[in-house]
Amino acid sequence: QTTIKQTLPVGSLLKVRGAPQIYYIAQDSLAYAVPDEATYFTWFPSFNKVQVFNKGERPHTISKSVLTIKPGTRVIKFGNKPELYTVSKGARLRWIRNEESLVGLFGEKWQNYFITLPESRRSDYVLGTDIKSTTDFDRTAERITTPTSDLVARKAIVPGKTYEKAPVVTLTQLKSLGENSSASLTPSF
């Protein structure tokens, strides 16, 4: 596999022509896979800034770690599990323990922030403390972060721990994710 010598600046987005996977370039110069469209749009408003390279010209080594949902932006559930979470810095899942906290943090129309991720994505996160009251979580403070600073908080940026092939999300998987997110919203409190 040939790589070009050019490296992209921190914050760049890249993909290989003909492949759906998008990568984010972090401060360690590694390319972090963006695992799905739901994650992508919590960090970036459009695909306009994604640079496309020919196969074999990828300018960065791929990291084992992936980007996770931007902190403070979404209400998440995994697969068919009823628990609802939000994310804090460092990819920490915070279980929202009651409806009052859910509505207090995300409003009466919290469903506008709701997504379902495949159960397999849960391993991209670590468990944080539960949210039992709106004072346990500050959405505004959590959202002031960048993908690189979140990777640092997760201790995902560790030089030398990389691999060459990132998991690829297919269009079928993305469609399935969209279908899952429109499934029943049955939170468990």
Side-chain angles (χ1 to χ4, degrees):
Q1 183 175 42
T2 309
T3 57
I4 57 177
K5 299 214 185 252
Q6 167 198 4
T7 57
L8 300 171
V10 172
S12 295
L13 296 163
L14 71 96
K15 74 181 283 308
V16 175
R17 189 175 316 283
Q21 187 66 64
I22 295 175
Y23 301 92
Y24 170 81
I25 307 303
Q27 73 185 26
D28 59 359
S29 293
L30 295 178
Y32 290 80
V34 183
D36 51 52
E37 214 172 282
T39 301
Y40 183 89
F41 284 114
T42 64
W43 292 105
F44 314 105
S46 74
F47 293 114
N48 292 346
K49 305 255 181 201
V50 177
Q51 299 177 51
V52 180
F53 289 85
N54 291 321
K55 191 173 183 175
E57 292 183 336
R58 186 178 63 227
H60 291 266
T61 302
I62 306 300
S63 172
K64 282 191 214 179
S65 296
V66 298
L67 282 188
T68 54
I69 298 292
K70 183 176 183 176
T73 62
R74 296 288 182 265
V75 175
I76 303 167
K77 84 174 198 168
F78 292 93
N80 294 324
K81 307 282 187 201
E83 296 86 9
L84 298 179
Y85 299 90
T86 192
V87 178
S88 64
K89 291 177 185 160
R92 296 195 180 288
L93 286 177
R94 306 281 306 274
W95 184 12
I96 305 171
R97 297 294 300 234
N98 56 62
E99 187 173 3
E100 294 79 25
S101 296
L102 176 65
V103 172
L105 291 169
F106 289 91
E108 291 288 335
K109 296 186 179 196
W110 61 267
Q111 295 91 341
N112 294 340
Y113 300 96
F114 177 82
I115 58 173
T116 300
L117 295 177
E119 183 64 37
S120 61
R121 290 283 317 282
R122 191 182 182 111
S123 64
D124 297 335
Y125 300 84
V126 295
L127 286 177
T129 57
D130 295 352
I131 298 172
K132 298 175 185 171
S133 161
T134 56
T135 60
D136 294 340
F137 189 77
D138 183 343
R139 280 188 67 211
T140 303
E142 293 291 341
R143 288 188 304 239
I144 302 172
T145 189
T146 65
T148 291
S149 65
D150 198 58
L151 288 165
V152 169
R154 288 170 44 197
K155 296 179 176 54
I157 295 183
V158 179
K161 295 188 178 184
T162 61
Y163 73 116
E164 285 301 316
K165 291 188 177 183
V168 174
V169 176
T170 65
L171 291 175
T172 304
Q173 289 169 315
L174 287 176
K175 286 179 184 173
S176 173
L177 180 64
E179 291 166 5
N180 286 342
S181 66
S182 63
S184 167
L185 302 177
T186 323
S188 171
F189 298 107

